[in-house]
Each structure stands twice: as C-alpha cells, then as structure tokens.
Amino acid sequence: MKTMKIKKTAGERFFDGFNIAFLFLFTLLMLYPIIYVFAISLSSAQAVDQGGFFLWPRDFSLDAYKVVFSEPNMGRSYLNTVFYAFTNTFLGMAFTSMLAYALSVQDYVLKKPITVMLTITMFISGGLIPGYLLNKALHLIDTVWVMIIPGISAYNVVLYRTFFQGNAMQLREAAMIDGAGEFRIYLRIVTPLSIAIYATLGLFSLVGNWNGWFGAMIYLRREELFPYQLLLRRILDSITTTLQRANQGDDEYLRQAMKNSRYNARNIQMAAIFIGMAPILCVYPFVQKYFVKGVFVGSIKG
C-alpha cells in the first residue's frame, strides 16, 4: 500500500526549520555549562589561571581528579550520599503517596482536617531551630536517621492526589467489589497507573537530596557520616584558606601551596562538581519519558 506524501507549503517548511534551529541552539545553551565545567576540570592549573575556555580542555591534566579522589573519606562520603539520597527519596515517595491516596478517597472521614493541616504548613514553616530541637529530642543528631527520615511536602501531596483522582480512583470501586483492600488497591492499581508522577517527583526529590549539604552541616558531626557535598565544601574551604594564608606570607601555608602549585582551586571545584553531577545525568534519560508527562499533572485536573 502506497502512502501519500503531504506537500508542505513554504511557510510550513520555514516554521519547521525555525523550530529545529531554535531547539538546536537551546540544547547547546543548556549543554554549555556542563561542557564548560568538564573542560576546566580536565585542564592544568596554569591553563585555568590564564582563562579563555570555551568547549575544550587546555593543557590536558587529571590532577584535579587526583586531588578529589585522594581525599581519605572520598569513597565513604560518596556512598553516604547515594544511601541518603535514594533512601530518603524512596521513603518520601512512599509516605507522601500513601497520604495522598487516603485524601483521594471521597468518603475518608479525616480528609478535611488533614487537608487543612497540610494547607497550613504551605504558608507557615516550623523553621530551623524547632526542627533541630525536635531531632535532638528524638536523639537523631549525628545519626544516619536524621538524613534518611523524610519530611512530607504538602505541595507534593496535592500533586499526588490530583494525579490519583484523574487516573486511578475510577477503578477503586470495581476493585473493592472484587474483594481488594485499600492497601492492595494502592499497590496493585494506583501505583502502576501513576508511574509518571512517581518518576517526576522522585527525580526532583533525588536531585534535591543529592545536592543537599546544609542539613548535613547542621545535624552531623562525625566525618564518616558526611555526604559528598559536605566533604566537597571542606576540600574547597581548605584549598581557599591555604592560598589566602600563603598570599599573606604565612611560611607554613606558603610551603604547602608551593608543594601543590600544580593544583588550582577552580579546576578542583569543577572536577568535584562534575563527579557529583554525573550520577544524576545518568539517571535522567531513564525517567525522561515519564518526566515530560508528569510535569503537566497540575494543568490536567485541579
């Protein structure tokens, strides 16, 4: 069977060409910071001092990566970050989606008071000091639990509830007639039909947990519990302090700076940043198709 080719007008061809060119330039604009960071991380300290980078390393060198990987707690902190980020994200998605499922049920008795309490938290935050005092009272300070026990975002609960009401709750009554309980309905019906919202909010949560360092700085004291981002901050602060004291004429710091003269704080920073962002760049392609669908959930049904 022959397929008929639809001949496009000159205006349609111009519009298609404009879209392709615009998206190509937009893609380059988004990729440029990543390529720029990677180029500096693979350049020598002298080349970084000279500047003038565009899209390619100058005076290729792996010294910056050697500095980052030579940190004694590097491996442990990286594993800590993986554990904290994925565990916190998984638990947060589970608790938030279960609460949203309960609020999606029309005849749920506590639906209104819980919704009111969640709405209040969207306008009034407890703050840093009450949060610290609560974790201290629960004896969570300087433990892994303080990093993996998630908080429930009222905004995410609303998004989950909106998605559940628009896609899966129509099947709830039929499932209950067949003898399914609420938990089974949640696991076997609601969850498989809501992969898009799980992938979208899960990716946002994962990125936030992966890049987070402030909570670890407040709640953790032992270095063996530090995430990668907090260790990175310590490395950069140490290098910056060494260079500043050396410039002020401090003999000890001057000797240390001369010993590490082939290193530059900027390319070490870029190497550490690229190491930190690499896992997220690898995860995103696998959830991209769900992400595109899930980001429009708020515009489908209120």
Side-chain angles (χ1 to χ4, degrees):
M1 182 177 179
K2 295 183 179 180
T3 57
M4 296 181 60
K5 294 183 179 180
I6 300 177
K7 187 176 181 180
K8 294 183 178 181
T9 64
E12 290 174 336
R13 290 195 298 269
F14 173 79
F15 183 74
D16 290 342
F18 175 80
N19 282 341
I20 294 173
F22 174 78
L23 292 176
F24 179 75
L25 293 176
F26 187 76
T27 302
L28 288 181
L29 183 64
M30 296 297 103
L31 289 177
Y32 175 72
I34 299 176
I35 300 175
Y36 180 76
V37 168
F38 189 58
I40 292 182
S41 69
L42 292 177
S43 303
S44 65
Q46 294 76 13
V48 174
D49 290 333
Q50 294 173 3
F53 284 89
F54 183 58
L55 295 176
W56 198 256
R58 294 172 53 188
D59 191 11
F60 180 83
S61 173
L62 294 176
D63 288 339
Y65 287 93
K66 293 178 181 178
V67 172
V68 177
F69 283 110
S70 64
E71 178 66 27
N73 292 322
M74 166 66 184
R76 178 185 290 272
S77 66
Y78 209 84
L79 291 177
N80 287 342
T81 299
V82 172
F83 177 70
Y84 296 156
F86 281 90
T87 304
N88 186 284
T89 298
F90 174 78
L91 293 177
M93 291 169 57
F95 295 153
T96 304
S97 61
M98 284 190 287
L99 176 58
Y101 172 75
L103 297 179
S104 301
V105 178
Q106 294 297 331
D107 54 353
Y108 180 50
V109 178
L110 299 178
K111 179 178 180 179
K112 186 173 181 178
I114 293 178
T115 302
V116 171
M117 288 190 293
L118 287 174
T119 304
I120 292 175
T121 64
M122 297 178 69
F123 298 96
I124 303 175
S125 173
L128 178 61
I129 296 178
Y132 183 87
L133 294 177
L134 175 62
N135 285 311
K136 184 177 180 180
L138 296 174
H139 304 287
L140 298 178
I141 300 298
D142 205 24
T143 67
V144 296
W145 297 104
V146 76
M147 299 299 297
I148 65 175
I149 294 179
I152 294 181
S153 168
Y155 180 73
N156 287 350
V157 171
V158 173
L159 291 180
Y160 275 110
R161 185 188 63 179
T162 302
F163 199 91
F164 292 164
Q165 290 175 340
N167 290 273
M169 296 307 291
Q170 294 87 343
L171 302 176
R172 175 175 174 269
E173 292 184 5
M176 293 188 69
I177 293 175
D178 291 336
E182 297 289 3
F183 194 69
R184 186 175 182 182
I185 294 173
Y186 165 77
L187 287 179
R188 303 295 296 272
I189 297 177
V190 175
T191 300
L193 292 176
S194 307
I195 295 298
I197 191 65
Y198 279 99
T200 303
L201 298 185
L203 181 62
F204 282 138
S205 177
L206 181 63
V207 172
N209 287 315
W210 186 272
N211 294 328
W213 60 272
F214 184 74
M217 183 183 69
I218 297 297
Y219 297 125
L220 298 181
R221 300 291 179 269
R222 290 178 291 170
E223 289 193 5
E224 61 266 23
L225 297 179
F226 283 0
Y228 174 75
Q229 286 72 19
L230 189 56
L231 183 67
L232 167 62
R233 184 173 181 270
R234 292 285 182 92
I235 295 174
L236 297 180
D237 286 347
S238 175
I239 295 174
T240 302
T241 301
T242 299
L243 295 177
Q244 289 177 347
R245 296 293 294 273
N247 292 333
Q248 295 172 2
D250 190 303
D251 292 339
E252 180 180 354
Y253 285 94
L254 182 60
R255 287 193 298 270
Q256 187 175 353
M258 292 179 62
K259 179 180 179 181
N260 299 324
S261 60
R262 60 177 179 164
Y263 303 139
N264 180 287
R266 192 179 179 196
N267 65 340
I268 294 175
Q269 180 184 25
M270 296 304 179
I273 290 174
F274 190 80
I275 294 172
M277 75 168 68
I280 299 300
L281 294 178
C282 295
V283 168
Y284 179 77
F286 296 99
V287 298
Q288 188 268 343
K289 63 179 180 179
Y290 302 111
F291 181 82
V292 173
K293 180 180 178 182
V295 342
F296 294 105
V297 61
S299 64
I300 296 175
K301 183 177 180 181

